[in-house]
Structures are given as structure tokens and as C-alpha cells.
Amino acid sequence: MQLEQFNYDNKIVRNFGIATIIWGIVGMSIGLLVATQLVWPAMNFGIQFSTFGRIRPVHTNAIIFAFVGNAIFMGVYYSLQRVLRARMFSDALSKIHFWGWQLVIVASAITLPLGLTTSHEYAEMEWPIDLGITIIWVVFGINMFGTIIKRRERHMYVAVWFYIATFVTVAVLHIVNSVQLPVSGWKSYYVYSGVQDALVQWWYGHNAVAFFLTTPFLGMMYYFLPKMANRPVYSYKLSILHFWSLIFIYIWAGPHHLLYTALPGWVQSLGVAFSIMLIAPSWGGMINGLLTLRGAWDKVRTEPILKFMVVALTCYGMATFEGPMLSLKQVNAIAHFTDWIVAHVHVGALGWNGFMTFAILYWLIPRIYKTELYSKKLASVHFWIGTLGILFYAIPMYWAAVVQGLMWKEFTPEGVLKYPNFLATTLEIIPMHMMRAVGGALYLSGAILMTFNLVKTMRQGKLLADEPAQAPALLPVTTNEQSKHRRLERKPVMFMVLALIAILIGGIVEMIPTFTISSNIPTIASVKPYTALELQGRDLYIREGCVNCHTQSIRPFRSETARYGEYSKAGEYVYDHPFLWGSKRTGPDLHRIGGKYPNKWHFDHLLDPTITSPGSIMPTYPWLIDQELDNSLLTAKLEAMKKLGVPYTDQQIDQAQSALDKQAQEIAADLKKNQVNVLPNREIIAMIAYLQRLGTDIKAEPKVAEKVDELN
């Protein structure tokens, strides 16, 4: 049989590998800065561009899209060529993909600290960057499918199944979640509002974890782990069951992020049911990976690379057990909005994504540089430092979560809240946040040690940019396969279509009724659109990233209605583009904050939170007092909102500036009565207007008469 000669492209693998290392250090460093600000808020150095609210999304996006994203492309480009026995379809597309992805990352790193954000978690980038992501993702898809089509191996290996599912699902998630109406070059509003926007966002947010942080890594696990252990995958049949059940079930589970909210109950129940079912395929993948090491556990003792893989799979198993458990309503009632969510996310990110990335780098770099790893001992040290980092990070966060959940819900024997001031909980868990920062510092130190080790490895070897390979041409099918799935593995287009159908079903079933049946979101006659000044204040609230710390969703629990007031209704959010329910309470819920405190209280609180809340870890916002409110887009914003269904009249839009000025002057005059002189055209006036509006459309009496909370 005649063999065809060709070369694997190792240069693109090297490029993505170097980008992974660099962005990993950057993303983890920003994460450490974020962690320290929850203990010492002055760590933003008084700069508005480095406050927690603005740089927290920089950290999450740097880790997800820069560190993990580049690691995915590194692993995919290396393994895809070898399991298909073909060079990548186009060297030019590979280069466009690499440099385009880095450009997207840099653009995000610049715009997010500037406050140019949509506020959607894990999708904060504004519409021009979203468009760039779409283009680069299409380039990646063309390159991948072009390689699959010109392959010399008829059957697609299991890793390729996961790569195909990743491509099609991320494309669908990104497009649906990024439907925005641009107002200007760097400002847009989501087409969806309120409950519908929340459903779309957490359908996206949950499945971004599933199909960006999970499925491509499972594909890489199926390729790299057998190579590292020199053992075949434990079970081909289990891999089939694992793949199809995982991609079908995962897509339904997003609503478990919105339990006890204004989301329709039937959607919440679907999310819970499918989340519980998700344990089976998730653990099927973990078991298939761990059992692949049968007969090779002696190597785990001596090979740091296998140590990383074992801990990665273990963390994957822990995170995918914990996720379904958190979706149980009894558990969610205590754990949601607490630091448990932070711990859960980081067990997956640090353990599963981080440790597998480290293992692949340690295995791959010496091979493409045709040398040995510079120091196994340093790699082993990295493993133990990294493992300690995970433990020092996660355990204090679980501890903090239990403290938060119990303190928030505790009542005295007389039936009043034992800790009515939210700040009491915040002060109680500061030592845990200190420990979390120590864990992050340890993990970062390990990554820096790995960087030194790999740089020395590269220097002692030489990159084999074009690695010679040979394989027979793809021959016509001469035998009938016994297995239907084996026959499907010969048809990549059919495989992609079936994967697409599998992932579309859940989203369609959950979204279409929520969007089309009005009884899912009953309207409330007293709910009115925001005034021009309130809308401007809301955009400032989004710019400053307040949603990263404060929720606007009061759940129907006695402890929450006693603390905050009447629980939140679906009809209250119909004009919210985007929704701002939040996912973590570092500070108290704000949905009923309107009218609770005088304007001067809000002014003092934004100027220096410790004036009103001694011990607060919220940063100061003096620039809101100094900066003039930019009204240049005011008319365009109102017109955009009108197109989205907000009932502004033409007269209201024409008179928006004068109405804004009038309301601003009223707030400034009220502040002046309380010995605060501030110009009515300053940003803080708009922010106060928005805060004073929150929750005032529903005139419900609080469950207790006394003041039960202070902003943190």
C-alpha cells in the first residue's frame, strides 16, 4: 500500500501554547488582584478602571477565553492532525485564527476596564467584539472541517466527536446570546428583556461552561491521557454513551441558575430534572478516563504529568456531582448567592481546566521541540503547589458559604432577623477571603514555575515546525461495519447535523413557550419605563459592574422578604434591557432599595461607603461626583428602547433632555438642603436617580417595620 508523505504543523500548536502560558499568568494575576480587593478595597489604588466591578469580568474572560481558549486550540490543533492523519486544512486560516483570537482578547482587556460592557456574565464584550468572535469562530470551523474532510483516517476518533459538538454548540450559544441592538459603536441593548433575558443568559452561561470548558477538554482527555499512560481508552461503548447523553442533557440544565426567581416554575423544574440526570454522563466520562489508567497507576507515582491528569479528572467528577446537588431546591435555597458558587466554579476551573492544561503543556512542548522536559522535579513541585493552592482556595470558600447561608436565614426566638445588617456577614467571612487570596497566590506561583520549566525546555531543544508523517490515502469502504455508530463516524457532516439537533432540542423547548406564551410573564400595570435620568443611571450602574456584587432578585423566603421587602415579580422586569438579577451577593440585594434611604445617604455611600457602613469592603466612587454625565446618546438610547418595545412616546423622546435636567435639578436641590453641593449634571445624580427608582413600582409593605439592612 502506497504511503502519502505530509507534514504536521507544529508551529501553530507552539503559538497557541505560548499564548496559553502568557494569558494564564495574566488572567491569574488579575484574579489575585480581584481576590485582594475583597479584603482591602483600596487595592484598586483609587483608579476607576481597576475597581472590582470593572476588572472581575476581565479576570473571568481572561481565564475562559484567553487561557483556556488558547489551551483548547493548542490541544485541538495538535491532536486533530494526528487522529485524522492530515495537516490542518489551511496554514493561512490557522494564522488568521491565532492572531484574530489574540486581537479579540486584547480588545476585551482594553474595553472592559473602560466600562464598555453588556453586563451578561461570561459575555460582557460589546457588539463589535462579539462580531469579531463570530468571524474567528467561523474561521476555526472551516479549518477544522476542512481537515476532517481531507483526512486519511476513515473513522473519526472520539476526541473529534467532542470537537465537533464544541464548535456547533458554541456557535449557537454565542449567536443567540449576542442578539443586541447597537446604539453606537460601543453601546448596545439586548433585544431580550427581564425574565426572557435571564433565561437566555443562563442557557448561555451554563452551556458555555459545558461546551467551552468541558467538551473540548473531554476530547483532549480522550486523546492525551491514553498517550500519557500508554494505554487504550477503557471503553469505546462507554465513550459513545458518554458523548451523546452529555450533549443532549447538558443543554437543558441552565435554568438551575435561576431557582426561586421570577422565571416560570415549569422551566425551573426542567432545569432541576435534567441537572440531576447530568450526573450519569458526566461521571461516565470521568470513569472512562480514570479506568484508562488501569495497569498504569505505578506511573502516576513517578510521572507528574499523570498526577495532574488524575487530579483534573477528580476535580471534574467533584464539580459535576456538586452542580446537580446545587440544583436541588433545598440546597440551592442555602447555597445560591453565596461563596459556594465561587468555590464550585474554581474547583472546575483550577482543577479540571487548569491542571489538564498544565499536563498537556508538559507533555506536548518537549515533543514538538524534540527534547526532554527540563526538570521533572520542578513539574512535581508545581503539582503540589498547585494542589495546595486549590485546597487553600476552595475550602475557605465552602466555609464562608456555610457561614453566609446560615447567617442570612437565622431568626431570633422572637421571630426577627438575628443579623439584620448584611454587613455583619461580610465582616465575618473576611478571614476566609484572605485564605482564598493565599490559595490564588500559591496557584499562580505554580504556573510561574511551570513557565520557567517550559522556557528552559524550549531553549534546550529546537521546534520541529513541520513534522514529517506518512499515511495511506483514504480508501473506499470495502466492508460493512457492524456498528451503526461506526458507520456514522465516517460521515462528519451527518455527525455534525445530529449533534446540532441534540443540542437544539432543550433550548427550543424551554425558550419558545417562555417567549410566546404571555402567562409566563404576567404584566403589572403600575410598572412604568425608566425616566431618561434613571436610564442613564442604570447604564452607569452597568458600567461600574455593580451587578457583580449586588443582586436585584428577592427570592420568596421569609428571611429575604424580612430583610429586603416584597419578593420580586416577573412583570417588574419587562423594561429591563439587560436584566440585572446578578449571581452573587457580596453586598445586599438592591431590588427594593428605592425610597429606603434619603438622597444624601446614597451620596455619602458612593463617596465613601464606610461613612454609612463602617467596615464595608465596597470601593469608593469619587469620580461619579467629578465626572459630567454624558448625554450625547440620550435620544439614541430612548429610540433604541422604543424599538425594543419600551412604550416611550415621540414626545417623551423629544423632551428627554429637559425632563432629565428637571429631575436632576430636583435631586441636586434636595442634596443642597442637606449641606451637599453637587452640580446637577454630574454622574452621581443619575446613579442616585436609578437607585431611588428600584422596586418602587410595587407598593408592598416590608415584613418588618424596623430598618433591616444597610448597603455594603
Side-chain angles (χ1 to χ4, degrees), residues 3-24:
L3 297 177
E4 294 183 355
Q5 308 293 321
F6 61 96
N7 296 314
Y8 294 131
D9 182 5
N10 285 339
K11 187 175 180 181
I12 188 65
V13 177
R14 187 276 312 270
N15 290 348
F16 276 117
I18 291 174
T20 300
I21 296 167
I22 292 172
W23 289 119

Side-chain angles (χ1 to χ4, degrees), residues 230-250:
N230 197 26
R231 292 287 187 278
V233 172
Y234 171 68
S235 172
Y236 168 70
K237 289 183 179 179
L238 182 55
S239 67
I240 295 173
L241 185 63
H242 169 214
F243 173 76
W244 289 107
S245 57
L246 187 81
I247 68 168
F248 175 75
I249 294 173
Y250 230 131

Side-chain angles (χ1 to χ4, degrees), residues 322 326 331 335-336 338-345 397-398 400-402 404:
E322 190 179 22
L326 285 169
V331 179
H336 198 55
T338 72
D339 284 326
W340 192 313
I341 311 305
V342 179
H344 167 62
V345 168
M397 288 294 93
Y398 287 123
V402 173
Q404 288 172 307

